[in-house]
Amino acid sequence: MSSILIVEQILNGLQFGVMLFLMAAGLTLIFGVMGLINLAHGSLYMVGAFAAAAVAGATGSFFLGLVAALASAALAGAIIEIVVIRRLYDAPHLDQVLATFALILIFSEGTRWFFGSFPLFLNIPQALSGPVTLPGGIEYPLYRLSLIVIGVAIAGGLWLFIERTRIGIQIRAGENDREMIAVLGVDISKLYTLVFALGAALAGLAGALVGAIQSVQVGMGEPVLILAFVVIVIGGIGSIRGAFIGALLVGLTDTLGGVFLPEFLGLFMEPGAAQKSGSAIASMGIYILMGLVLIWRPTGLFGARA
Amino acid sequence: MRVTERYINGVVLTGLLVLPIWALAMDEPFTITLATRAVVLALAAVGLNLALGLGGMVSLGHAAFFGLGGYTMGILAYHAQTYSTLNLGLFSTDGTTSMPLIWLSAMVISALVAFFIGMLSLRTTGVYFIMITLAFGQMFFYFAISWAQYGGEDGLSIYVRNGFPGLNTLVPIQFFGICFTLLCIVLFLFARLQASPFGLALNATRQTRSRVQAVGLNPTRIRLLAFVLSGAITGLAGALFADLNRFVSPTMFSWQLSGELIVLIVIGGVGRLMGPVIGACVFVALEHFLGALTDYWHVYLGVVLLCIVLFGRGGLIGLLTGKEGAHV
């Protein structure tokens, strides 16, 4: 096994990880601030991807597609927050699960109704296509490399936004004590809509960016949503930093496990059996990781201690 | 008009029994199959209701047990029908096509897995629990997809339905009879359990965990036992579901199914004895009639569900009896 392959797979894992972070950041913010579990977050990912594919297909501009993804996902997020989610903040978790499950059904089947069952395709922009040579002579797709850069940049921006801006301070205050900041004159329902729309926009952006390397289809959001849940459980609910570390851990474990576990088992098994059991075990890798973290720290790596 | 819950329960069970007999007389075997489907889904949801309704554990991963039951049936029957040996290291088996043995295996395996998932997930509560059960369910989904020996993504077909001593299970009404009897037995046990000291303690852990602790009971142990029982019942339903379709596939593990099981319970009424049964009947009827009208019937299901959550409390039973809570 060459070191080039290892570096390539690590980069793939990082790319997967930062995209998961975009999903997980919104989920964990929404949970941290509003105490809401949002299963429909995957639908917002899908909305972003479809909007990007439709607009990029019509105009030929990938950049306009991204703008459309951000705008439509944020808009969809704001609408469902105002119409449905707002009534659920004080409801039991069961109601939140059901209502957001219902939203998934409506979004998924509605999208199928509108766009049909066939996947759409979103092409990588010309300027970012093709490979790039990294130091050490490693060829790596430029687009995937840009995804890593964009993801890390957004993570940094989000950190600045939460830590350094006035709205960020209000969001953090809202996590701690929502009555208190309402008393201090912050319009809490506007703040909630804003946080929800921000989370939705991040999900939509992730959907559009990933949509260019996978196909854009109904049901694309839910597998990512569940991975994002694993990320949050590992990182600790409500913690942006935990979401970032958790996302990278999950991305790397999933990618590297899928490639290296069969090879590793091949050292002491026959190749066919090693390939089969290796890929079967690798598919469970991140859940095993989650189990281990739970045994060690039930509230996640960066979660508040119970 | 307000009616009592006991009255509704009687009407529903009788109706569920009379419908297939009527269909038999009218020679409409498909209706019998639909009724069997409702009964099996109801059984799976009764299992979940034990954890969710009585214990307040919102498990979004119960499809794991449903799928495990299904795959237990699939694997045992596959080995029996191909005359191959299943080697598990410590012991080996030639598989079986006997339903009682398959049920027992399905329940034991589901219970064991429920024990491990419960051990990990019950260390947490609330949203963590929901996410963790969902994630473990998904783990089995991906494992089933990548497990090429038993069909992988394509699933596994079992060409002959497994046998039950003295009955011909390929006759729809006889298979319905088996499923219906099992459902009644499980409902009876559920009612007994609900009224037993264990059931009361479980109910109490849902309401005030700290008080249960204060009187010297171990809430986690009570919840774990309930979760294991719940997994075993859902596993049994999975084995029956696989026999009904004579087919198992990774979709039995899908998270949508976990969600739908919760939906069944909520349509009928959470924590009520017959809630899951009513929910399953309504769900199968909706699936059949709306599904015939439009391919996109899930949109309407979503809207109905939203309305139930936002405006209706206590499900259909709550609506009919005028009592919101199940535990009055």
Side-chain angles (χ1 to χ4, degrees), chain B residues 14-178:
Chain B
T14 316
L16 198 52
L17 183 62
V18 168
L19 177 73
I21 295 175
W22 172 80
L24 182 71
M26 306 303 280
D27 196 27
E28 287 190 31
F30 184 64
T31 309
I32 304 180
T33 306
L34 274 186
T36 316
R37 186 178 156 80
V39 165
V40 173
L41 284 177
L43 185 61
V46 169
L48 177 59
N49 201 18
L50 183 59
L52 190 149
L54 299 188
M57 294 172 265
V58 183
S59 163
L60 202 44
H62 253 53
F65 310 120
F66 198 66
L68 279 169
Y71 267 84
T72 306
M73 171 277 181
I75 289 170
L76 286 175
Y78 168 80
H79 282 285
Q81 291 182 3
T82 57
Y83 303 102
S84 55
T85 305
L86 171 63
N87 212 331
L88 292 170
L90 286 178
F91 68 101
S92 63
T93 166
D94 291 334
T96 176
T97 55
S98 155
M99 275 191 189
L101 275 179
I102 288 174
W103 297 341
L104 188 68
S105 321
M107 289 175 79
V108 168
I109 289 172
S110 305
L112 277 177
V113 173
F115 180 75
F116 283 111
I117 294 183
M119 285 277 274
L120 285 172
S121 53
L122 286 173
R123 295 166 68 92
T124 62
T125 48
V127 181
Y128 270 105
F129 183 80
I130 298 173
M131 293 184 189
I132 291 164
T133 47
L134 178 60
F136 278 123
Q138 198 70 358
M139 173 175 95
F140 283 98
F141 178 72
Y142 284 119
F143 184 75
I145 281 185
S146 57
W147 204 13
Q149 193 187 352
Y150 297 110
E153 213 163 342
D154 299 331
L156 192 62
S157 282
I158 300 299
Y159 298 103
V160 182
R161 192 172 280 161
N162 295 298
F164 189 87
L167 290 175
N168 179 2
T169 53
L170 283 169
V171 178
I173 192 74
Q174 299 201 11
F175 185 62
F176 172 83
I178 293 174

Side-chain angles (χ1 to χ4, degrees), chain A residues 115-264:
Chain A
F115 286 98
S117 293
F118 292 103
L120 299 184
F121 291 97
L122 178 60
N123 291 325
I124 294 173
Q126 203 69 53
L128 293 178
S129 63
V132 59
T133 311
L134 298 176
I138 300 165
E139 296 232 317
Y140 194 73
L142 178 59
Y143 183 72
R144 284 178 182 263
L145 197 67
S146 342
L147 290 192
I148 300 179
V149 174
I150 294 171
V152 171
I154 289 177
L158 200 59
W159 181 80
L160 279 179
F161 174 71
I162 302 279
E163 294 290 322
R164 293 280 184 270
T165 65
R166 193 163 186 83
I167 296 176
I169 292 171
Q170 292 177 351
I171 289 174
R172 277 183 293 143
E175 285 186 34
N176 285 325
D177 193 333
R178 66 174 96 170
E179 275 95 12
M180 199 61 196
I181 74 156
V183 168
L184 290 175
V186 175
D187 186 343
I188 197 111
S189 77
K190 242 184 220 152
L191 182 70
Y192 283 2
T193 311
L194 181 83
V195 170
F196 202 88
L198 174 69
L202 289 175
L205 179 66
L209 291 174
V210 175
I213 42 180
Q214 292 170 357
S215 60
V216 175
Q217 57 188 343
V218 173
M220 66 188 285
E222 280 68 42
V224 184
L225 171 84
I226 294 168
L227 288 179
F229 279 159
V230 174
V231 166
I232 293 175
V233 169
I234 289 176
I237 296 179
S239 161
I240 296 276
R241 188 166 46 144
F244 190 69
I245 305 285
L248 293 188
L249 272 177
V250 167
L252 287 171
T253 309
D254 197 53
T255 311
L256 298 182
V259 178
F260 295 120
L261 203 60
E263 300 222 9
F264 174 71

Side-chain angles (χ1 to χ4, degrees), chain A:
Chain A
M1 186 182 313
S2 63
S3 59
I4 291 183
L5 178 68
I6 296 179
V7 173
E8 250 178 30
Q9 293 305 329
I10 289 177
L11 285 174
N12 279 344
L14 285 178
Q15 180 257 310
F16 187 33
V18 292
M19 288 300 115
L20 276 179
F21 169 73
L22 292 187
M23 279 291 280
L27 270 178
T28 205
L29 258 186
I30 289 168
F31 183 80
V33 179
M34 288 96 102
L36 177 103
I37 174 166
N38 180 22
L39 296 184
H41 211 64
S43 300
L44 298 165
Y45 176 88
M46 181 187 71
V47 165
F50 270 91
V55 169
T59 63
S61 159
F62 184 78
F63 179 73
L64 281 182
L66 282 190
V67 173
L70 277 169
S72 59
L75 184 68
I79 291 173
I80 61 174
E81 200 275 342
I82 291 168
V83 176
V84 178
I85 304 284
R86 183 168 287 186
R87 299 162 208 271
L88 297 170
Y89 291 140
D90 295 323
H93 291 317
L94 178 62
D95 285 3
Q96 300 179 348
V97 165
L98 274 166
T100 50
F101 182 71
L103 285 175
I104 293 183
L105 294 180
I106 295 171
F107 268 106
S108 293
E109 292 303 308
T111 310
R112 205 195 300 280
W113 209 335
F114 201 71
F115 286 98
S117 293
F118 292 103
L120 299 184
F121 291 97
L122 178 60
N123 291 325
I124 294 173
Q126 203 69 53
L128 293 178
S129 63
V132 59
T133 311
L134 298 176
I138 300 165
E139 296 232 317
Y140 194 73
L142 178 59
Y143 183 72
R144 284 178 182 263
L145 197 67
S146 342
L147 290 192
I148 300 179
V149 174
I150 294 171
V152 171
I154 289 177
L158 200 59
W159 181 80
L160 279 179
F161 174 71
I162 302 279
E163 294 290 322
R164 293 280 184 270
T165 65
R166 193 163 186 83
I167 296 176
I169 292 171
Q170 292 177 351
I171 289 174
R172 277 183 293 143
E175 285 186 34
N176 285 325
D177 193 333
R178 66 174 96 170
E179 275 95 12
M180 199 61 196
I181 74 156
V183 168
L184 290 175
V186 175
D187 186 343
I188 197 111
S189 77
K190 242 184 220 152
L191 182 70
Y192 283 2
T193 311
L194 181 83
V195 170
F196 202 88
L198 174 69
L202 289 175
L205 179 66
L209 291 174
V210 175
I213 42 180
Q214 292 170 357
S215 60
V216 175
Q217 57 188 343
V218 173
M220 66 188 285
E222 280 68 42
V224 184
L225 171 84
I226 294 168
L227 288 179
F229 279 159
V230 174
V231 166
I232 293 175
V233 169
I234 289 176
I237 296 179
S239 161
I240 296 276
R241 188 166 46 144
F244 190 69
I245 305 285
L248 293 188
L249 272 177
V250 167
L252 287 171
T253 309
D254 197 53
T255 311
L256 298 182
V259 178
F260 295 120
L261 203 60
E263 300 222 9
F264 174 71
L265 290 177
L267 294 177
F268 37 86
M269 285 169 85
E270 48 181 309
Q275 185 64 41
K276 265 187 200 162
S277 44
S279 60
I281 298 172
S283 69
M284 302 166 73
I286 53 168
Y287 306 102
I288 296 169
L289 176 72
M290 180 183 80
L292 293 177
V293 169
L294 278 175
I295 292 171
W296 180 41
R297 290 179 89 147
T299 50
L301 296 177
F302 295 94
R305 286 303 178 83

